[in-house]
Amino acid sequence: MKRIAAFIIVALLATACMKNMEQGPSQREQQLYSRQWKLVEVSQKSQADPSADSSILKGCHADDVIRLSANGEFAILDNQSTCDSGILKYDAGIWLISLDQQKLLLSGSKGEKLWNITTLNDSVLQVTWLDSISASDKTLKTILMKNR
C-alpha cells in the first residue's frame, strides 16, 4: 500500500513539475506563494456532535505561519511561542499543486501531507486533510489560514 502511495506521489510530482516548466505558475500557485499564511484555526469533527467542528488550536499556535515559496519549498514554522507539534507538524520540504489546482502536496522530513484546497483567495487559504495516527484511525481536519 505504501508503494502505491509513493508511486502516486512521484507521478503527481513529475506531472506538476513538467506542467510548471512548460506554462509557468498559475494564478492559484501565485496566490499560494506570494503570501505568508498565518494559522488562524485548526478544527476537527466533534466527537460529541459529528455534525459540528471542534477547535483544536492552542494559544501557542497563534503566531504559527506556513510559507510556500516560488521555488517549490515550504516551511511550517513555530514562531515566537513554542508549541508541541501534535496538532500541526512543524516541517519543511517541497510543495506542489495538483493539475486540477485543488490539492496541495507537502513532502517534508516528517512525511507527506495531501491537503484539499477548499478556499483560496487573496486573504484566505483553507484546506482539509485526513490526519491519521494509524491506518484505521483517520480524522478529517480543517486548517484556516489568513494572509499575514
Side-chain angles (χ1 to χ4, degrees), residues 47-104:
Q47 291 180 349
D49 180 5
S51 66
D53 283 345
S54 175
S55 177
I56 56 174
L57 191 69
K58 296 179 181 176
C60 56
H61 288 116
D63 62 349
D64 293 357
V65 295
I66 298 174
R67 293 186 185 140
L68 304 166
S69 67
N71 68 359
E73 295 177 350
F74 82 90
I76 302 173
L77 303 170
D78 187 14
N79 274 341
Q80 304 291 325
S81 301
T82 303
C83 214
D84 78 55
S85 62
I87 293 171
L88 181 65
K89 300 208 178 345
Y90 302 109
D91 201 0
I94 60 169
W95 71 274
L96 292 167
I97 193 166
S98 63
L99 288 175
D100 66 1
Q101 309 277 299
Q102 299 302 311
K103 296 190 185 317
L104 184 62

Side-chain angles (χ1 to χ4, degrees), residues 1-117:
M1 190 67 158
K2 285 186 178 183
R3 287 183 183 206
I4 293 172
F7 177 77
I8 291 171
I9 289 170
V10 169
L12 277 172
L13 291 173
T15 306
C17 287
M18 286 187 294
K19 178 204 152 280
N20 248 358
M21 290 188 308
E22 293 170 2
Q23 300 175 357
S26 69
Q27 180 182 357
R28 265 174 100 79
E29 288 168 306
Q30 290 176 16
Q31 282 180 310
L32 286 168
Y33 68 68
S34 64
R35 289 154 179 79
Q36 182 170 268
W37 299 103
K38 182 180 181 302
L39 191 63
V40 174
E41 182 65 64
V42 179
S43 60
Q44 66 186 29
K45 293 295 177 196
S46 170
Q47 291 180 349
D49 180 5
S51 66
D53 283 345
S54 175
S55 177
I56 56 174
L57 191 69
K58 296 179 181 176
C60 56
H61 288 116
D63 62 349
D64 293 357
V65 295
I66 298 174
R67 293 186 185 140
L68 304 166
S69 67
N71 68 359
E73 295 177 350
F74 82 90
I76 302 173
L77 303 170
D78 187 14
N79 274 341
Q80 304 291 325
S81 301
T82 303
C83 214
D84 78 55
S85 62
I87 293 171
L88 181 65
K89 300 208 178 345
Y90 302 109
D91 201 0
I94 60 169
W95 71 274
L96 292 167
I97 193 166
S98 63
L99 288 175
D100 66 1
Q101 309 277 299
Q102 299 302 311
K103 296 190 185 317
L104 184 62
L105 173 68
L106 305 175
S107 181
S109 60
K110 296 182 180 170
E112 287 82 30
K113 298 167 215 39
L114 186 60
W115 290 353
N116 296 306
I117 301 170

